[in-house]
């Protein structure tokens, strides 16, 4: 079974839009786990426009499933992760001010940098994952960084699937097969939704975890959070 980690950035965005503590991020994280999700993901950015650094600290005592912090490994982010010691850190090459993630790492060009950062997290007992595009050379490069896992960047798949092109899964299947051969764990995320996640899961061998936020929270507005979490869980069995 593939694990579901729910990204709660959008809850923080809604809270921050009015100030105060509504919706209560910690209560939402607690409820999502109670409803059956196997993990909580956050992606703090330098401007703290949704998840704040203090949220990351506060969630440490709330998340009893799997705690995943993702972001660009700049100094403040590295310090935050080492302080919080989540179960997993996912490294994402976000530009400062980016609205959302838009590409995976060039694991060849950035290899020495990634090796250094990954070793620091692993020395502190934190499992590492790096965001990558479904390109075989980037998967091979990821292996050389020493990362524990990769997270396949699934925007291209989601776009093609929405157009009715199921062949858009093919680069991901090839990447997953190679990752399995290399001994890399496989996560996935970005634009996965109730419409496409089951097809993706059925075609990706060894898929350990998906991280879903924007679509899940949007769908929950219509369907209810408890219901939508369990709909994902059924599709991922």
């Amino acid at each position: 079974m593939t694990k579901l980690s729910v990204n709660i950035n959008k809850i923080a965005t809604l809270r921050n839009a009015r100030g105060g503590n509504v919706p209560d991020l910690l209560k939402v994280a607690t409820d999502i786990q109670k409803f059956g999700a196997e993990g909580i993901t956050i992606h703090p950015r330098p401007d703290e426009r949704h998840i704040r650094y203090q949220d990351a600290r506060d969630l440490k005592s709330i998340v009893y499933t799997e705690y995943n912090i993702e972001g660009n490994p700049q100094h403040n982010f590295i310090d935050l992760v080492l302080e919080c010691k989540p179960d997993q850190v996912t490294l994402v090459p976000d530009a400062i001010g980016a609205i959302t993630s838009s590409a995976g790492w060039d694991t060849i060009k950035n290899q020495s940098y990634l090796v250094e950062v990954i070793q620091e997290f692993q020395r502190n007992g934190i499992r590492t994952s790096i965001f990558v595009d479904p390109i075989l050379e980037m998967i091979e490069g990821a292996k050389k960084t020493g990362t524990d896992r990769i997270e396949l960047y699934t925007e291209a798949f989601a776009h093609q699937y929405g157009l009715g092109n199921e062949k858009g899964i093919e680069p991901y299947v090839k990447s997953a097969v190679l990752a399995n051969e290399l001994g890399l764990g496989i996560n996935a995320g970005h634009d996965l939704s109730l419409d496409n996640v089951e097809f993706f899961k059925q075609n990706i061998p060894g898929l350990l975890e998906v991280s879903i936020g924007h679509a899940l929270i949007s769908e929950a507005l219509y369907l209810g959070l408890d219901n939508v979490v369990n709909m994902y869980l059924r599709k991922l069995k």
Side-chain angles (χ1 to χ4, degrees), residues 100-160:
T100 188
S101 305
S102 59
W105 287 97
D106 183 330
T107 58
I108 299 171
K109 180 180 178 181
N110 297 288
Q111 185 179 123
S112 60
Y113 174 63
L114 288 168
V115 167
E116 180 181 354
V117 173
I118 287 167
Q119 288 180 346
E120 178 65 17
F121 289 135
Q122 290 175 337
R123 278 195 295 269
N124 284 271
I126 303 168
R127 186 175 72 230
T128 60
S129 178
I130 57 176
F131 208 51
V132 293
D133 295 304
I135 301 170
L136 299 184
E137 291 80 5
M138 295 300 111
I139 308 301
E140 292 170 344
K143 176 63 177 179
K144 294 177 181 178
T145 68
T147 189
D148 301 297
R149 296 187 183 184
I150 56 169
E151 178 172 330
L152 292 171
Y153 173 45
T154 50
E155 181 182 22
F157 156 74
H159 178 70
Q160 290 300 316

Side-chain angles (χ1 to χ4, degrees), residues 39-103:
I40 297 293
T41 291
I42 60 170
H43 189 148
R45 287 184 165 86
D47 60 8
E48 298 186 288
R49 65 179 180 270
H50 34 63
I51 291 292
R52 299 166 181 155
Y53 275 35
Q54 188 57 45
D55 292 329
R57 300 181 181 101
D58 294 341
L59 283 162
K60 176 63 179 175
S61 62
I62 298 298
V63 179
Y64 57 85
T65 52
E66 181 180 281
Y67 191 17
N68 175 45
I69 301 180
E70 60 183 29
N72 193 320
Q74 299 170 344
H75 291 300
N76 288 345
F77 178 84
I78 292 173
D79 290 343
L80 178 71
V81 172
L82 293 177
E83 177 185 350
C84 294
K85 286 189 167 57
D87 300 286
Q88 176 175 267
V89 59
T90 301
L91 308 182
V92 183
D94 283 337
I96 294 177
I99 295 176
T100 188
S101 305
S102 59

Side-chain angles (χ1 to χ4, degrees), residues 214-236:
H214 181 80
L216 189 150
I217 299 302
S218 298
E219 290 156 349
L221 294 175
Y222 297 101
L223 301 172
L225 197 55
D226 185 355
N227 187 35
V228 76
V229 166
N230 281 279
M231 289 173 73
Y232 273 100
L233 291 169
R234 287 194 293 272
K235 289 179 179 292
L236 292 168

